[in-house]
Amino acid sequence: MRVLFLSSEVAPFSKTGGLGDVAGALPAALASLGHEVRVVSPLYGSVPREGLHPEKTSFVLTFPYGSREARFQSTTPRDGLTFSFLEQPDFFGKSGLYGELGAEFPDNARRFAFFSVASLTYAQAIGFIPDVVHLNDWQTGLAALALVSGFQRTALGRARSVFTIHNLAYQGNYSWAEVEALGIPWSRYTAEGVEFYGKLSFMKAGLSYADAITTVSPTYAREIQTPEGGVGFDGVLRAKKEKLHGILNGVDVREWNPATDVLLPARYTTEDLSGRAKCKEALLGAFGLERPKPGKPLFGFVGRMVEQKGVDLLLGALPSLLEHGAAAVVLGTGESRFENAWRGLSHRFPKRLGGRIGFDNALAHLIEAGSDFFVMPSRFEPCGLNQMYSSLYGSVPIVREVGGLGDTVTDEQRPGGTGIVFQEPSVEALRVALHRAQALFQDPERYARVRRSGMVKDFSWEGAARKYDALYRSLLPPASLEVT
C-alpha cells in the first residue's frame, strides 16, 4: 500500500513529545512491511537542513485570508520511506513548533490548515496517490475534511483516512471567525461537523470525517469515552466507538537499546549489567550528588513539569525519602511554579536531589540507564514511552495505573511483574509506592528478577505496525488491495 503520513512533528527533525517519536518510528516500521510511506511535516526554523534536498514541486494556495507559496525539501533514509518537509517561512520559519514563551502562536489555525491542504496538494502534484492517509492529532484534522470535500473528486478521493489521537487534551479549538477565513463551508460548521461548543475544532474535524480513529493505547481508548477522560469529546467518541481502536505505541529500539546506545558511558545487557553500575556513577557525577545511603535507591524522572505528569505529587512524596538517604534526579521543563519548586528542593537537598531545567537527550538516556527506579505518577497518560524505555534499560518503573502506563507495566506482586503500580493520584499513594520500591530494592534477588522481566519485554514497533497494517487493509475494498 501507499501511505501518506501527516504529522506536525517528526523525530529526529522536530519534537515536543511522543507524537514526534511515533512519526519518526512507525512509518519506518510500516516500510519494513513492504509499504511505500511518505511522511509530510513542516520545515520549522529549528529543523536541520543537512541531508535535505530541495524539490522542484511548488505551488500557491489561496485561502480567503490570503495566498501562500508552498515549497518542499525531502530525504529518503531507506527504501520505501521518504520524509518531505513543507517550506513556508511566513508560517513555519519560526524555531518554535506551536508557540514560544508559553504562548501559542496566534496564527496556528491558519498555519495548520495550510499544512493540511498543502500536504494533500503536494501528494497529488508529485503523483503519490495514497491508499491510506494517516493523520495525527489536531494539527492535521482539517485534512480529513478536505479529503471528503475539496479532494473528493480528485485521485485522492479514493484514499481512506485514519486519524490518530495522541493526546485528546490538545484540541485545536479556535474562534468561529476562522471558519470563513479558512474557506470552510458553513454547512460543515455543525455538531456533526467541525463545531465544538461554539468554536471551530480541528480535533472535531478529524473525529467527524476520518474513516477510522485510533489512539495510542487500549486503555486510553476506553478512558476517552468517559466524562472523566474525554475532555468534552466523550459523547462524540462513544457515538463512534465502532471505528475507534486502541493500538499501543512501540519503542524505536534502534535508538533505545542499552547494548548499543552510543550516548551512554558504558553499555550493558541483561547477561552483563556491569556497564549499568558505571552509568549510575556517571549520573551521580553529572548532578554532583553523593551516593545514596546503603539500601537506598536512586529515583529518576524525565518529562514535562505539568500537572498531567503528576509533578506536584512527586514534589510532595519525595522529600521524606530524601531525608532518609535516597537520591533523585529530575530533568524537564514546564510551568514556572514547578520549575521553581524543583530548584528550591534541590537547594534543600543539594547532595541528594539533582534538578536540571531544560532538555538534554544524552542526559535523558543516562537517567534511564543510571537510576534504580523511574517515576511516572501521571494523572493521565495516553501511552507514555519513558516507562518502556526505563524497563528496557533496567530502571524499574513506578507508574500510576492509567492509560498506556497500565497497559505496559505489571505490578511486581503479580506473576512476571515489571514495576510498581499504584492507583490514586495522591501524594500519599505515591509515597506508599516509593516506599514499596525502596523495600523491593532492599531485596536484591527480587529486585533483579523484576528488573530482568522488564528488560526482556518486546516493546518494538513491529507488533504495532502489523496492527496498523491490518486496520488499513480493513478499510480498503478487496479490489484495491489486489491491484496494489
Side-chain angles (χ1 to χ4, degrees):
M1 289 177 282
R2 279 185 162 187
V3 180
L4 180 65
F5 196 97
L6 273 56
S7 177
S8 61
E9 55 188 77
V10 53
F13 304 97
S14 56
K15 174 183 171 181
T16 64
L19 170 58
D21 289 321
V22 172
L26 175 56
L30 291 168
S32 296
L33 297 179
H35 302 307
E36 186 179 355
V37 187
R38 185 172 290 261
V39 181
V40 186
S41 193
L43 187 66
Y44 301 105
S46 56
V47 173
R49 269 55 172 178
E50 294 80 14
L52 300 184
H53 306 287
E55 297 190 23
K56 294 180 180 180
T57 301
S58 67
F59 47 81
V60 174
L61 293 179
T62 299
F63 291 81
Y65 67 76
S67 300
R68 295 288 190 281
E69 183 181 25
R71 293 184 176 275
F72 296 86
Q73 298 190 38
S74 63
T75 181
T76 301
R78 53 161 295 168
D79 289 344
L81 177 63
T82 300
F83 292 101
S84 298
F85 294 90
L86 166 62
E87 185 175 9
Q88 212 310 301
D90 292 344
F91 282 149
F92 303 112
K94 315 173 185 74
S95 59
L97 275 61
Y98 313 120
E100 57 188 359
L101 302 176
E104 183 180 347
F105 290 133
D107 60 348
N108 270 353
R110 300 180 186 191
R111 294 172 77 223
F112 291 106
F114 185 89
F115 168 59
S116 294
V117 177
S119 298
L120 298 177
T121 305
Y122 166 69
Q124 187 177 43
I126 65 173
F128 185 86
I129 307 304
D131 298 289
V132 174
V133 179
H134 193 145
L135 309 172
N136 294 274
D137 264 354
W138 71 262
Q139 295 89 345
T140 63
L142 286 190
L145 170 57
L147 282 170
V148 301
S149 52
F151 287 86
Q152 188 176 34
R153 298 184 183 277
T154 72
L156 269 68
R158 72 178 182 89
R160 297 295 184 263
S161 59
V162 174
F163 182 73
T164 296
I165 305 165
H166 295 265
N167 191 334
L168 193 61
Y170 300 96
Q171 302 173 349
N173 299 330
Y174 297 99
S175 166
W176 59 267
E178 292 294 334
V179 173
E180 191 162 319
L182 299 177
I184 298 172
W186 283 105
S187 60
R188 301 287 186 177
Y189 187 68
T190 65
E192 293 72 34
V194 300
E195 186 271 338
F196 184 65
Y197 292 102
K199 292 191 173 184
L200 163 64
S201 174
F202 283 45
M203 176 69 75
K204 183 78 174 294
L207 300 179
S208 296
Y209 296 109
D211 295 303
I213 303 167
T214 73
T215 193
V216 291
S217 72
T219 296
Y220 191 59
R222 294 190 295 271
E223 290 173 345
I224 59 178
Q225 296 180 63
T226 68
E228 296 77 17
V231 204
F233 280 111
D234 53 290
V236 175
L237 290 162
R238 284 195 301 273
K240 298 179 180 297
K241 64 181 179 180
E242 297 303 321
K243 65 177 185 178
L244 174 61
H245 309 265
I247 301 177
L248 188 68
N249 281 342
V251 166
D252 187 348
V253 293
R254 297 167 301 175
E255 178 184 1
W256 292 95
N257 183 343
T260 58
D261 192 336
V262 297
L263 297 177
L264 301 182
R267 279 151 289 288
Y268 56 93
T269 66
T270 52
E271 286 71 34
D272 181 4
L273 288 167
S274 57
R276 196 168 200 288
K278 297 176 182 177
C279 290
K280 186 173 182 177
E281 288 299 317
L283 179 59
L284 292 168
F287 283 91
L289 302 182
E290 296 177 348
R291 286 188 181 186
K293 289 183 178 180
K296 305 296 183 180
L298 172 61
F299 297 99
F301 171 88
V302 178
R304 288 183 291 119
M305 295 181 179
V306 295
E307 278 196 13
Q308 178 207 330
K309 300 296 182 179
V311 173
D312 54 323
L313 307 181
L314 188 57
L315 282 163
L318 193 58
S320 64
L321 284 94
L322 300 178
E323 288 171 352
H324 292 90
V329 293
V330 297
L331 171 66
T333 61
E335 296 180 31
S336 58
R337 58 180 173 136
F338 292 131
E339 292 180 355
N340 291 334
W342 283 118
R343 292 188 183 101
L345 201 58
S346 297
H347 287 308
R348 180 180 166 191
F349 299 100
K351 295 300 181 180
R352 291 275 179 253
L353 174 63
R356 190 74 55 86
I357 306 302
F359 183 75
D360 182 324
N361 188 44
L363 186 57
H365 280 243
L366 185 59
I367 290 173
E368 299 283 14
S371 56
D372 300 308
F373 294 93
F374 192 92
V375 191
M376 293 183 70
S378 303
R379 283 186 165 79
F380 69 93
E381 194 68 60
C383 178
L385 294 173
N386 282 100
Q387 81 279 11
M388 292 187 267
Y389 300 155
S390 61
S391 286
L392 294 174
Y393 277 57
S395 178
V396 176
I398 303 170
V399 305
R400 181 165 172 253
E401 192 172 19
V402 64
L405 302 181
D407 289 328
T408 51
V409 180
T410 304
D411 191 81
E412 58 90 16
Q413 294 179 344
R414 297 173 59 187
T418 59
I420 305 289
V421 179
F422 67 102
Q423 280 73 42
E424 293 298 321
S426 67
V427 170
E428 182 56 29
L430 176 56
R431 184 182 293 117
V432 170
L434 295 177
H435 280 282
R436 282 184 59 203
Q438 187 164 270
L440 174 64
F441 189 69
Q442 292 167 352
D443 185 340
E445 184 176 333
R446 190 158 59 100
Y447 175 74
R449 184 170 63 250
V450 173
R451 179 171 60 187
R452 179 180 174 81
S453 293
M455 292 184 72
V456 300
K457 287 196 72 171
D458 181 9
F459 290 117
S460 69
W461 269 105
E462 182 179 353
R466 292 193 180 280
K467 290 180 180 179
Y468 279 110
D469 172 88
L471 175 61
Y472 295 165
R473 292 181 183 278
S474 73
L475 299 174
L476 299 176
S480 69
L481 292 173
E482 290 170 9
V483 172
T484 301

